[in-house]
């Protein structure tokens, strides 16, 4: 681990190992399975052409869930296109969604603040299908929205297509926390390809200078569309860049739940106690192509693909649960089946919902006020309609 | 009463709004103890401290993005671009992130981006541009360019209070040249409203910022020649106050559009198109423009002056138009 040289020394890394807390493991298992079930369903629909495009997060679950699980109410989350696991983990109270899988004492204080999980899951499914009931009611695609509801403890800012552009926004969320004098932190995600963007540099430099409570997780799945690491950057590890910004940096095996979760807990402790930002690189297997069926998967050498498919983080996580006696085979199957049923229901319901009203296309671009009023006064005839 | 310069009016607006609302904060390069190259924030760092008057590293894109993040969770950032020309480095954040947020997921983005812009001081191709059309083309941005200290004060205060992103263009040439007496109190100028600065019956001039003053000088000249020119200060470009413009054009039947930005696809083209569409039956002459030639702004002052759309060119264009 590399830490800023011109700052106070960091607090000693606390050994927060997941296997000390079975509640964390139950939650992690459920959300990883929920994320995988969602991907399986959407991949299947993409294969038969029922949806146009799907960016699978298969292989990212341990990283997205393992980091997001460390957040508390009103920490902020900034996601890109393979972070469904983090979104589900942040939004949903699993004890109300799948009561049979959880025990007394599993429901947290934050869970109590969260809204009914089924409704939120339905909104998410509608969002992904571009339907009326989605967060954007049809005007933007899958994970391109935000949900800021302090009363639910949720502060989530989704992506725009321009990769890298959300990193400064995540820094700005962290800046607001500093201005408010809270100990709240921000978890942001980015693919390794987008670390080549200027916004990555500008945001991490700002985070270093201002000691912002930002944790930027790089999901390094070794490819960006078709571009391999060797054509993306020339440093050995992306976390090597951290000392250049005066922030902490770490590279962990993104398939190792204990390592991911412990690194995230160290980062969040630094963020909460004024030691600033962390660049946390998680190494992932590229188990799928860029988007389903776009030909990019075939660009990966076949032997390498075989290797990645063997590294499934869910298989590994479940093996460790079994080995350490946290679950038996029956429970593993029950969690898998429950997750599949929950997703199946949500997708079926979403497929029956209505298209958005056409009026959504011309809804206001300005929030209510004198600017919005002036905009509404402008003639619409000039567009020929 | 002492006169307030344009830059003093900006500083007064920032100070008053920071006093009024603790969520207002300033960000920019060299704006804290130094006060910015034009001293727009002088004294505010001492009063409000480093978390409300924030010196950023030398960056634009990252600063706009960070301001957006803060705005999403309830802050009201006012971001100073050191010179308007550098806003191009933050272009993606402004047109794709800031401008589209409200339409996409209906969370307001209260943010002001201040752009000290314009030529006339021999500052060369990279410190003289007028970038309003770059932003007027993007739905979701309010683009304003006040021409007087009174409007600079009132519109900056209104912009800070509005729940939307406002691109706030301040002409550097006006900073210390324009001054007027301003009363005390909470002076607001509505956004989205043009101002008829001089009434007339023969020709309408549509302009804003520095060229508005040149247009007024030309209108005074034409008055001596018996031509009555109405001069409208648009103040806000988007959303456009069409009522005021169309009413004037229907009265005078002739229009001259004057702006400092280069002519092709400048905001004048939008005005001309809307007037052609909505005032066709009333027009008695071509809709004309006086604007910058399609060139970068040259460094040598004589070269620059030869391209700036000043009062002589406006006067000549008015004479031609009046003869129609
Ligand atoms: C600024 C920008 N340039 C190009 C693209 C097109 N694009 C979409 S995803 C992608 C690859 C992203 O790779 P990476 O960041 O590693 O994430 P991954 O998809 O591997 O998870 C590219 C090039 C984009 N979305 N944004
Ligand atoms: Mg990648």
């Amino acid at each position: 681990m590399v830490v800023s040289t011109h700052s106070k020394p960091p607090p000693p890394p606390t050994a927060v190992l997941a296997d000390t807390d079975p509640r964390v493991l139950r939650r992690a298992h459920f959300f990883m399975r929920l994320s995988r079930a969602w991907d399986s369903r959407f991949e299947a629909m993409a294969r038969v052409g029922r949806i146009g495009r799907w960016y699978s997060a298969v292989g990212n679950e341990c990283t997205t869930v393992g980091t997001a699980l460390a957040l508390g109410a009103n920490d902020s989350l900034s996601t890109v296109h393979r972070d469904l696991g983090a979104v589900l983990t942040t939004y949903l109270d699993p004890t109300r969604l799948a009561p049979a899988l959880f025990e007394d004492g599993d429901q947290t204080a934050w869970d109590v603040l969260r809204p009914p999980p089924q409704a939120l899951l339905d909104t998410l499914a509608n969002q992904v299908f571009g339907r009326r009931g989605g967060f954007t009611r049809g005007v933007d695609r899958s994970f391109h929205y935000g949900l800021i509801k302090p009363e639910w403890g949720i502060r989530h800012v989704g992506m725009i297509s321009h990769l890298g552009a959300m990193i400064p926004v995540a820094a700005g969320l962290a800046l607001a926390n500093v201005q408010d004098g809270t100990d709240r932190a921000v978890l942001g995600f980015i693919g390794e390809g987008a670390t080549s963007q200027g916004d990555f540099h500008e945001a991490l430099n700002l985070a270093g200078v201002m000691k912002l409570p930002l944790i930027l997780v790089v999901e390094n799945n070794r490819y960006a569309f078709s571009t391999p690491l060797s054509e993306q950057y020339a440093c050995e590890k992306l976390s090597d860049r951290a000392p250049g910004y005066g922030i902490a940096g770490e590279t962990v095996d993104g398939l190792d739940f204990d390592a991911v979760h412990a690194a995230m807990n160290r980062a969040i402790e630094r963020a909460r106690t004024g030691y600033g930002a962390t660049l946390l690189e998680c190494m992932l297997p590229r188990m799928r192509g860029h988007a389903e069926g776009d030909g990019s998967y075939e660009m990966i050498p076949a032997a390498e693909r075989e290797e990645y498919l063997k590294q499934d983080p869910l298989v590994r996580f479940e093996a460790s649960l079994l080995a350490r006696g946290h679950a038996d085979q029956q429970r593993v199957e029950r969690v898998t089946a429950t997750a599949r049923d929950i997703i199946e229901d949500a997708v079926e319901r979403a497929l029956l919902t209505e298209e958005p009203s056409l009026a959504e296309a011309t809804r206001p671009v300005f929030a209510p006020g004198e600017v919005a009023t002036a905009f509404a006064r402008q003639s619409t005839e000039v567009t020929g309609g | 009463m002492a006169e307030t310069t344009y830059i003093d009016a900006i500083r007064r607006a920032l100070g008053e709004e920071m006093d009024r609302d603790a969520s207002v904060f300033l960000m920019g390069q060299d704006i804290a103890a130094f006060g910015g190259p034009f001293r727009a924030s002088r004294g505010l760092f001492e009063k409000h401290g480093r978390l409300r008057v924030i010196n950023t590293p030398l960056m634009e894109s990252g600063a706009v993005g960070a301001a957006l993040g803060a705005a999403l969770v309830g802050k009201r950032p006012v971001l100073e671009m050191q010179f308007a020309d550098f806003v191009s480095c933050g272009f993606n954040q402004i047109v794709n992130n800031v401008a589209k947020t409200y339409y996409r997921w209906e969370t307001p983005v209260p943010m002001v981006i201040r752009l000290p812009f314009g030529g006339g001081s021999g500052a060369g191709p990279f410190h003289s541009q007028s970038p309003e059309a770059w932003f007027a083309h993007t739905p979701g941005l309010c683009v304003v360019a006040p021409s007087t200290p009174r409007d600079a004060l009132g519109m900056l205060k209104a912009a800070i209070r509005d729940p939307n992103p406002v691109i706030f263009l301040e002409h550097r040439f006006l900073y210390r040249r324009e001054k007027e007496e301003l009363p005390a109190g909470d002076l607001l100028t509505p956004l989205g409203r043009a101002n008829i600065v001089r009434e007339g019956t023969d020709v309408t001039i549509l302009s804003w910022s520095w060229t508005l003053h040149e247009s007024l000088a030309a209108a005074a000249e034409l008055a001596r020649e018996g031509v009555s020119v109405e001069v409208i200060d648009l103040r806000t470009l988007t959303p456009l106050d069409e009522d005021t413009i169309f009413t004037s054009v229907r009265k005078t039947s002739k229009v001259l559009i004057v702006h400092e930005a280069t002519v092709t696809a400048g905001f004048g083209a939008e005005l001309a198109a809307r007037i052609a569409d909505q005032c066709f039956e009333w027009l008695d002459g071509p809709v004309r423009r006086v604007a910058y030639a399609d060139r970068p702004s040259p460094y040598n002052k004589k070269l620059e002056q030869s391209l700036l759309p000043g009062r002589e060119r406006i006067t000549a264009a008015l004479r031609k138009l009046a003869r129609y």
Side-chain angles (χ1 to χ4, degrees):
Chain A
M1 184 177 51
V2 192
V3 170
S4 163
T5 46
H6 60 75
S7 62
K8 299 180 277 181
T14 29
V16 199
L17 283 182
D19 69 342
T20 59
D21 191 346
R23 289 171 308 177
V24 173
L25 292 177
R26 274 195 291 276
R27 220 171 248 267
H29 188 205
F30 175 68
F31 282 122
M32 284 161 73
R33 271 290 161 207
L34 205 60
S35 176
R36 177 64 60 91
W38 182 297
D39 269 316
S40 302
R41 188 71 181 83
F42 279 78
E43 285 175 4
M45 283 188 287
R47 271 197 297 276
V48 298
R50 276 186 86 183
I51 51 171
R53 205 157 255 281
W54 185 246
Y55 301 93
S56 173
V58 167
N60 293 46
E61 298 94 340
C62 176
T63 292
T64 53
V65 175
T67 50
L69 269 176
L71 296 179
N74 281 319
D75 284 325
S76 300
L77 175 70
S78 158
T79 54
V80 284
H81 52 296
R82 300 191 205 279
D83 302 324
L84 173 68
V87 173
L88 297 173
T89 303
T90 301
Y91 283 13
L92 304 177
D93 169 8
T95 66
R96 274 182 283 166
L97 188 60
L101 298 179
F102 291 91
E103 294 176 14
D104 286 349
D106 277 5
Q107 193 179 42
T108 64
W110 185 9
D111 284 334
V112 176
L113 296 180
R114 288 177 167 116
Q118 196 68 66
L120 207 49
L121 197 59
D122 284 349
T123 310
L124 189 58
N126 273 277
Q127 169 64 25
V128 171
F129 287 120
R131 297 294 167 87
R132 179 182 290 232
F135 293 108
T136 67
R137 300 196 304 281
V139 308
D140 207 349
R141 59 204 281 181
S142 54
F143 299 106
H144 295 216
Y145 68 91
L147 181 65
I148 297 176
K149 289 270 190 193
E151 64 274 29
W152 295 348
I154 296 172
R155 291 172 193 246
H156 173 217
V157 178
M159 65 187 295
I160 65 169
S161 287
H162 297 65
L163 292 173
M166 300 317 293
I167 312 175
V169 178
L173 295 168
L175 171 61
N177 289 344
V178 172
Q179 289 174 313
D180 289 341
T182 75
D183 71 347
R184 295 296 86 188
V186 180
L187 168 62
F189 290 95
I190 198 70
E192 91 291 343
T195 65
S196 303
Q197 283 279 318
D199 273 347
F200 172 88
H201 168 72
E202 293 190 18
L204 289 191
N205 183 53
L206 181 72
V209 169
M210 296 199 70
K211 292 223 168 308
L212 299 179
L214 171 69
I215 298 130
L216 184 67
V217 171
V218 179
E219 299 166 280
N220 191 337
N221 61 1
R222 298 168 162 99
Y223 287 86
F225 209 160
S226 77
T227 305
L229 295 193
S230 59
E231 294 171 34
Q232 194 67 252
Y233 56 84
C235 50
E236 197 188 322
K237 304 194 295 306
L238 282 170
S239 62
D240 289 346
R241 291 181 183 171
Y245 298 116
I247 65 175
E250 233 183 301
T251 295
V252 299
D253 178 357
L255 302 167
D256 180 340
F257 181 84
D258 288 355
V260 170
H261 192 60
M264 176 65 188
N265 274 322
R266 283 193 290 277
I268 219 160
E269 191 167 317
R270 278 194 292 273
R272 297 213 196 289
T273 51
Y275 291 89
T278 301
L279 180 61
L280 177 57
E281 180 184 30
C282 297
M283 300 308 295
L284 303 176
R286 179 74 154 182
M287 293 177 66
R288 295 289 190 273
H290 173 62
E292 290 310 294
D294 66 0
S296 59
Y297 189 57
E298 291 67 31
M299 297 292 291
I300 305 171
E304 202 182 322
R305 287 201 305 250
E306 294 293 304
E307 226 13 75
Y308 293 149
L309 288 177
K310 281 188 236 153
Q311 296 176 16
D312 187 332
L314 259 158
V315 171
R316 179 154 157 191
F317 182 72
E318 285 170 351
S320 91
L321 288 182
L322 295 171
R324 291 187 287 184
H326 287 298
D328 55 18
Q329 189 59 38
Q330 211 188 354
R331 178 175 168 91
V332 167
E333 278 159 24
R334 209 147 51 88
V335 170
T336 306
T338 307
R340 192 188 52 225
D341 293 347
I342 288 171
I343 295 305
E344 190 62 36
D345 287 356
V347 166
E348 287 314 311
R349 272 196 303 276
L351 285 170
L352 297 175
T353 61
E354 283 177 80
E355 295 288 336
S357 125
L358 284 186
E360 293 295 353
T362 51
R363 74 190 191 196
V365 291
F366 293 114
E370 65 188 14
V371 170
T373 307
F375 184 72
R377 270 199 305 268
Q378 287 192 157
S379 53
T380 50
E381 252 177 49
V382 292
T383 57
Chain B
M1 198 195 290
E3 292 197 314
T4 301
T5 62
Y6 192 110
I7 191 70
D8 289 336
I10 295 288
R11 188 182 311 112
R12 176 174 155 188
L14 295 174
E16 287 180 4
E17 293 307 298
M18 290 184 82
D19 287 341
R20 230 188 109 250
D21 181 349
S23 67
V24 176
F25 76 95
L26 313 185
M27 269 176 97
Q29 294 163 28
D30 309 290
I31 67 161
F34 185 59
F38 305 107
R39 304 299 188 276
S41 51
R42 196 180 59 210
L44 296 175
F45 173 71
E46 290 73 9
K47 185 167 184 191
H48 296 286
R50 59 174 198 90
L51 291 179
R52 291 189 67 199
V53 184
I54 299 174
N55 264 349
T56 71
L58 200 167
M59 62 172 185
E60 286 77 24
S61 183
V64 175
L68 170 59
L72 289 174
V73 289
K75 303 292 181 201
R76 291 180 177 268
V78 182
L79 179 61
E80 175 176 295
M81 289 288 144
Q82 197 155 74
F83 290 88
D85 306 68
F86 303 133
V87 76
S88 54
C89 297
F91 191 70
N92 179 50
Q93 286 289 352
I94 296 174
V95 303
N96 281 313
N97 226 348
V98 168
K100 293 180 179 34
T101 297
Y102 187 75
Y103 179 76
R104 293 168 55 236
W105 49 285
E106 295 172 311
T107 294
V109 179
M111 181 195 297
V112 180
I113 303 179
R114 295 182 37 243
L115 303 181
F117 84 106
S121 51
F126 308 111
H127 288 76
S128 307
Q129 296 173 80
S130 298
E132 63 270 25
W134 302 353
F135 301 106
H137 186 61
T138 301
L141 299 174
C142 173
V143 179
V144 308
S147 62
T148 65
R150 172 69 182 79
D151 282 344
L153 172 67
M155 292 178 77
L156 185 50
K157 285 164 68 79
I160 292 171
R161 291 184 202 184
D162 197 86
N164 294 291
V166 179
I167 304 294
F168 199 92
L169 291 130
E170 306 162 7
H171 202 295
R172 294 189 293 127
F173 195 81
L174 303 179
Y175 270 162
R176 296 198 159 72
R177 287 179 181 83
E178 280 305 309
K179 26 174 122 59
E180 62 183 307
E181 286 187 3
L182 294 180
D186 195 21
L187 302 183
L188 289 157
T189 305
L191 304 175
R193 291 284 187 197
N195 187 22
I196 303 172
V197 185
R198 179 189 177 110
E199 292 199 24
T201 51
D202 299 331
V203 183
T204 296
I205 290 188
L206 303 176
S207 192
W208 56 91
S209 202
W210 172 71
T211 50
L212 187 274
H213 298 280
E214 297 299 300
S215 299
L216 283 171
E221 179 67 31
L222 267 281
R224 285 189 281 278
E225 300 170 16
V227 179
S228 167
V229 180
E230 178 145 300
V231 181
I232 298 182
D233 183 355
L234 292 190
R235 304 195 289 198
T236 297
L237 306 188
T238 56
L240 188 63
D241 181 357
E242 291 178 328
D243 289 349
T244 301
I245 296 169
F246 296 161
T247 304
S248 175
V249 172
R250 287 167 187 158
K251 176 176 73 175
T252 63
S253 302
K254 289 176 182 173
V255 198
L256 184 68
I257 299 160
V258 186
H259 62 60
E260 186 178 327
T262 48
V263 69
T264 299
F267 194 69
E270 179 61 33
L271 295 171
R274 283 182 188 253
I275 289 164
D277 187 308
Q278 299 287 312
C279 306
F280 180 72
E281 295 91 337
W282 286 270
L283 287 174
D284 268 344
V287 177
R288 280 265 154 87
R289 287 177 289 169
V290 175
Y292 212 89
D294 287 326
R295 299 288 185 286
S297 187
Y299 173 54
N300 178 285
K301 273 200 173 180
K302 287 215 167 83
L303 297 183
E304 185 192 20
Q305 287 301 329
S306 75
L307 297 184
L308 276 171
R311 59 192 71 186
E312 288 82 20
R313 277 171 57 198
I314 303 169
T315 306
L318 280 174
R319 284 193 189 114
K320 270 198 204 168
L321 200 52
R323 278 201 297 270
Y324 254 88

